[in-house]
Amino acid sequence: MGVLETRNLSLKLNGKNILDKLNIDLWQGHVHAVVGPNGAGKSTLAYTIMGLDGYRNIEGDIFFNGVSLKNKGVAERAKMGITLGWQEPARYEGLTVKQFIIASAKEKKVETVEEVLSKVGLNPEEYINRAVDKTLSGGERKKIELASILAMQPSFVMLDEPDSGIDVASLEKIFEGIKLLKNYGATVVLITHSLTVMKQAEHAFLLCGGKIVEKGSISKIEPYFEKECLPCEHKNIPDKGGS
Amino acid sequence: MDINELLKLAEEDKALMDKDTAHLTINLNKVVSKNIVPGLHVDTKELKDSVEVKIKVDDGVVIEKKVHLCFGVTHEKALQKIKMDIDIGKNASISVLSHCIFPKAVDVKHIMDAKINVGENASYTYEEKHIHSVDGGIEVYPKADVKLDKKAKFKTTFELVEGRVGKLDINYSVTGLKESVMELMSKVSGRGDDIIKIKEGGNLIGEKARGVLTSRVAVRDNAKAEVYNIIKATAPYARGHVDCKEIIQGNGVATAIPVVEVKHPKAHVTHEAAIGSVNSKQLQTLMARGLSEDDATDLIIEGLLS
Ligand SMILES: Nc1ncnc2c1ncn2[C@@H]1O[C@H](COP(=O)(O)OP(=O)(O)OP(=O)(O)O)[C@@H](O)[C@H]1O
Ligand SMILES: [Mg+2]
């Protein structure tokens, strides 16, 4: 039994099958990875679980703690404890880091903001009053997104390419953030095509063309992914629909 | 309500007690109090249904503390007419915070007509903050004609911080000589049947003159907004930019008319205008953190107008 289960989950976008009869069980308190080449449907799966606009017209069903998510909107799913960190986080003109994180936070106080910023390796003094806009670098925005998720204390987190735009030194901070989520009992889904990120997980699902082609422990998936997927030509299909 | 309560509302009471802070307070068409600092001259003339205000800063004088202007109307029904004549001397510098407070307005009209001269290498910063009544019984007509001498800097922001817009009709025109800089920014959020008109014109007639016109407007319910921004550049290396963002919800209607006119091959003017509902990714991110759609929308608009 998973905390989140998809049952024959299919999604068509513009008449094209993007997710194809997926049956996935994600276990409570575990860190999972969803890996696969560009265009495999990884982001789409995350958007569909989150219930974003345009991704709710599904076939099959998604259950969270046994409850169908089918007729629930984004905010409702978030209130149940589900959240998503985007592959490429949004920018907000004029909104400060403090406002953004407080809006997300379970405990709405400045101390929370400072705490989560430190956890992702950003100096609170330097960042708390900056705007979450185009003046932040891509990597900084990713970290602030993760900080907002830490502040929210969700029970089910999907992180879409948590390492994109993150330098090697900061990657450790992101991994620490993932451990923090796990340590307080959250279920984590890492969406990635990086082996380093995949190794932070306990289990992996290999997605290709909207289908699960392999699943199991990291030690099982890693060689397969390395041998079959990384050299695969899909890899070079640029990301158009995602993020 | 008396003028002191009004000043408290704008959190102006403390600044007005400080003898090193220059101020001028006008209630309707009467001068209530005034304080000046060396190098600054403020002359007022009360006419039958208006006030004339002359502000002059002597050449080379740098006024350290912000000058506070307060134009209030404590009445429910009134016409307030202010004629301003502002002259900033060569190499002088002044920053003005202007509060326009009409908290009781049911049928109030505020007309401001300003002529502003900013001298060579002088700097004039003007922040206008409005507090209106909650039911929008107000019409506001700020008009300014601004001349910038060589290397002069002019920066102005218009902001409605509280209450309903009612009807707002801004009309600013700024002309800049060589190496002058103009920055105009307006931020307004309308609801109910508010009407917002913003007309800002920048004339970059001097070499290397620069200008930026920025508008941030949100309209909901049946509010209407019309933003007409125009930059003309007629001198070499003049640089201009028009940036207008409007967010609409409900039956709100927004129009943006950015006009750029360039009459010199070495001048460069750009514009961007975006009208639409709240950005979907921003909205959905906040909703994915547990905010309702309305709260998320409010927060995004609050950011945009901050
Ligand atoms: N609205 C849409 N209409 C049609 N096709 C779409 C739409 N959105 C996404 N797709 C397609 O769905 C497929 C899966 O996209 P998705 O973004 O989920 O891939 P991904 O696995 O996250 O890839 P990446 O590794 O590049 O981020 C892609 O082929 C994409 O082009
Ligand atoms: Mg993706």
Side-chain angles (χ1 to χ4, degrees), chain B residues 190-192 194-197 217-227 246-256 275-276:
Chain B
R191 56 177 68 223
D194 288 343
I195 294 178
I196 299 165
K197 280 188 188 172
V217 177
V219 280
R220 60 176 85 189
D221 305 332
N222 294 309
K224 286 191 173 64
E226 195 179 301
V227 179
E246 296 180 78
I247 290 184
I248 55 165
Q249 291 173 269
N251 296 319
V253 180
T255 324
I275 303 184

Side-chain angles (χ1 to χ4, degrees), chain B:
Chain B
M1 157 173 270
D2 68 9
I3 187 75
N4 292 318
E5 289 172 66
L6 205 86
L7 294 169
K8 264 210 186 78
L9 210 63
E11 293 167 9
E12 275 289 304
D13 42 339
K14 284 204 182 65
L16 302 196
M17 303 285 278
D18 176 20
K19 68 174 179 26
D20 297 327
T21 299
H23 80 255
L24 173 69
T25 304
I26 290 175
N27 187 10
L28 191 55
N29 297 309
K30 291 259 171 294
V31 176
V32 180
S33 74
K34 174 175 127 174
N35 182 44
I36 53 164
V37 293
L40 173 72
H41 310 272
V42 178
D43 294 315
T44 56
K45 195 156 139 198
E46 292 173 6
L47 302 173
K48 197 169 145 264
D49 61 353
S50 65
V51 192
E52 280 182 19
V53 181
K54 279 202 167 85
I55 296 179
K56 186 170 166 23
V57 184
D58 292 337
D59 287 0
V61 170
V62 173
I63 295 171
E64 299 286 348
K65 290 195 175 178
K66 263 185 199 171
V67 174
H68 290 244
L69 299 182
C70 188
F71 304 108
V73 175
T74 48
H75 314 60
E76 289 184 1
K77 280 185 170 199
L79 167 68
Q80 180 179 55
K81 243 164 110 177
I82 294 165
K83 223 175 144 207
M84 294 259 263
D85 192 336
I86 298 176
D87 189 8
I88 318 294
K90 204 169 157 176
N91 298 320
S93 169
I94 182 173
S95 182
V96 174
L97 175 60
S98 174
H99 275 289
C100 297
I101 323 171
F102 319 108
K104 293 271 163 206
V106 176
D107 180 12
V108 169
K109 208 183 242 186
H110 164 89
I111 301 174
M112 164 77 73
D113 194 347
K115 275 213 159 35
I116 301 168
N117 244 312
V118 187
E120 186 176 335
N121 200 36
S123 162
Y124 179 47
T125 304
Y126 183 78
E127 284 168 76
E128 183 162 329
K129 290 186 195 277
H130 278 237
I131 296 179
H132 290 183
S133 62
V134 286
D135 47 30
I138 173 118
E139 293 181 24
V140 174
Y141 299 88
K143 182 164 178 268
D145 189 357
V146 187
K147 299 258 178 313
L148 307 179
D149 209 327
K150 280 181 282 184
K151 291 192 177 170
K153 283 194 181 69
F154 173 63
K155 192 175 169 184
T156 178
T157 57
F158 181 100
E159 207 180 332
L160 174 70
V161 287
E162 244 182 85
R164 283 257 317 269
V165 176
K167 181 175 177 198
L168 170 69
D169 191 345
I170 295 180
N171 190 345
Y172 290 163
S173 160
V174 190
T175 301
L177 296 187
K178 189 174 170 181
E179 290 176 47
S180 63
V181 180
M182 58 181 83
E183 283 174 43
L184 283 72
M185 156 87 90
S186 9
K187 294 174 177 174
V188 195
S189 170
R191 56 177 68 223
D193 50 5
D194 288 343
I195 294 178
I196 299 165
K197 280 188 188 172
I198 299 174
K199 187 173 177 208
E200 294 173 337
N203 284 309
L204 306 171
I205 62 169
E207 203 175 306
K208 291 188 187 160
R210 285 184 286 143
V212 182
L213 309 179
T214 310
S215 322
R216 296 289 179 263
V217 177
V219 280
R220 60 176 85 189
D221 305 332
N222 294 309
K224 286 191 173 64
E226 195 179 301
V227 179
Y228 181 77
N229 284 331
I230 170 161
I231 289 196
K232 290 186 192 174
T234 51
Y237 308 108
R239 291 272 179 281
H241 184 62
V242 175
D243 176 1
C244 173
K245 270 207 188 90
E246 296 180 78
I247 290 184
I248 55 165
Q249 291 173 269
N251 296 319
V253 180
T255 324
I257 312 165
V259 178
V260 297
E261 195 178 303
V262 178
K263 283 197 183 147
H264 196 286
K266 283 188 172 151
H268 189 73
V269 182
T270 49
H271 74 83
E272 52 187 313
I275 303 184
S277 56
V278 171
N279 176 290
S280 146
K281 190 174 195 170
Q282 296 174 348
L283 191 66
Q284 299 205 61
T285 301
L286 291 170
M287 287 166 72
R289 300 287 180 276
L291 273 72
S292 68
E293 186 166 349
D294 285 348
D295 288 348
T297 304
D298 286 348
L299 187 63
I300 293 164
I301 293 176
E302 187 188 321
L304 197 73
L305 297 178
S306 71

